Amino acid sequence: MSPSALSSALLAVAAVSRITFVNAQPDPADPTPLVDKHYAYPSGIPYQVDYNTAAIRGPQVGYNICNSTTENQNSMCQTSFVNHIDDFCLWAPPQPNSTIGDTEGQEVAWCTKPGHGTRVMPAGALQGVQLIKTPNYIQIAGFIDQTQVNIAAGDYGGELDPHGADLRGNPLGGLMYSNAFPSNGGNNASYQQVIDWTKCVPSMRLLCLSDIYFSFMGGDAFCMKICDPAGQNQQALCQNIYDRLGCEYNAPNNAQKGVFEVCEGDDMSPVGVYTTNGATSTYYQPPESLGPITTVPYTPTPAPSSNCVTYASTALYTSQPAPTGAATSAGASGAKTTASGTGSAVSPAKTGGAATMGVSLGAGLVGVVFAMAFLS
Ligand SMILES: *[C@@H]1O[C@H](CO)[C@@H](O)[C@H](O)[C@H]1NC(C)=O
Ligand SMILES: *[C@@H]1O[C@H](CO)[C@@H](O)[C@H](O)[C@H]1NC(C)=O
Ligand SMILES: *[C@@H]1O[C@H](CO)[C@@H](O)[C@H](O)[C@H]1NC(C)=O
């Protein structure tokens, strides 16, 4: 079968049902979905949580035990954190000039500060960050010089979450922890794995598509949301079935370039749910096989927020390495226009009519189509 015939076939399958994929466990040697792997921090974490070496996507490229010996700019640590505006990590590629679509299974943790055994985002990479803490989740959205974290200039990126068609996650074996939820004392003292496992029973596997966290990277912007494991409505609030709609829909926000702020906020309306003339409807993202998304029947608005406290970035990010020169001068300037052109909120452009950030429209297009059809 030619590659294009293969992808058409895959897309046709993709159009039918995501259940087909979620049941696809390629290796009986490691049948446990990533969302069902739970480890106490730090002692319970194995070297690699994904020991599936024979699977179609290959082995986990990094590791999960991360410490001072793994903390450097070549770290392959895949254990990530979302704690505070000065202490969170993004998933980004291990090699320079990569698209998210081509490397979604391999992303490594890039954190705002040392101490987690990971890479550290270079100084100045973050260009504006809004953290909103709501009753049930923490959302972080912002602008980034993505070339500083190895994302190719102009790449619109995609969604990273603990699923994927083979249930091994994107990245494969990626773990997420937080010390910030009230259910955990909220005292920075101990880490809680951010994962929704109580509702994730096999007979309800479709519901498990609703994530407890996701992050979108690309388009010189990012957003992520982690739902409180002890909170309400995680299924709707940290949903990942709208992966082609980007931050504007999945994490409505008021992030601005040059502003670093922490706000309190209400929970957003679940993605896809909207009201017209008093009637509530739910929009579902169409399958990729139907082509680019040209219209969505509603425009999201950020939920009300208040008590925003702004910080100087120099006060928040004090221990970051110097930026890598080449990327700063060449890559970033060409790409930045995309993010700044969208106005204040992180809502990467709907290029060519497609609402993006969930789909790579750049060099990674072929890769991401393949990956989403087969593996996402
Ligand atoms: C530090 O992390 C590396 C890589 O995961 C691991 O091999 C090593 O045992 C760890 N060291 C300690 C002291 O935990
Ligand atoms: C990044 O990769 C693209 C495609 O391979 C290439 O055209 C471009 O020159 C590369 N950019 C940098 C800064 O290496
Ligand atoms: C937790 O850490 C953040 C900074 O990372 C700090 O602002 C906050 O006061 C800390 N909370 C407690 C209860 O120590």
Side-chain angles (χ1 to χ4, degrees), residues 75-161:
S75 180
M76 293 300 287
C77 175
Q78 294 180 309
T79 297
S80 187
F81 298 85
V82 174
N83 297 326
H84 297 281
I85 191 171
D86 63 345
D87 185 10
F88 67 91
C89 313
L90 299 173
W91 294 121
Q95 301 296 331
N97 199 23
S98 302
T99 66
I100 295 290
D102 284 345
T103 61
E104 63 180 1
Q106 292 141 39
E107 314 308 14
V108 297
W110 293 74
C111 301
T112 55
K113 62 195 263 185
H116 298 304
T118 66
R119 301 182 192 212
V120 176
M121 293 180 222
L126 290 173
Q127 299 176 339
V129 178
Q130 182 187 47
L131 183 152
I132 300 181
K133 197 162 187 178
T134 79
N136 288 301
Y137 61 83
I138 294 170
Q139 172 179 299
I140 304 181
F143 296 93
I144 188 168
D145 174 354
Q146 66 188 25
T147 63
Q148 292 294 332
V149 291
N150 287 349
I151 303 175
D155 178 37
Y156 276 90
E159 184 184 320
L160 302 160
D161 60 60

Side-chain angles (χ1 to χ4, degrees), residues 282-365:
T282 303
Y283 165 78
Y284 292 100
Q285 168 184 296
E288 297 240 29
S289 55
L290 299 183
I293 296 172
T294 51
T295 54
V296 178
Y298 75 106
T299 302
T301 45
S305 59
S306 59
N307 296 333
C308 295
V309 177
T310 59
Y311 299 88
S313 63
T314 48
L316 295 175
Y317 310 118
T318 55
S319 310
Q320 299 181 326
T324 50
T328 306
S329 53
S333 59
K336 264 179 206 158
T337 48
T338 315
S340 55
T342 61
S344 58
V346 173
S347 55
K350 296 182 184 179
T351 306
T356 55
M357 207 155 183
V359 156
S360 170
L361 296 176
L365 182 60

Side-chain angles (χ1 to χ4, degrees), residues 47 63 65 67 69-70:
Y47 178 68
Y63 41 75
I65 293 179
N67 52 41
T69 64
T70 67

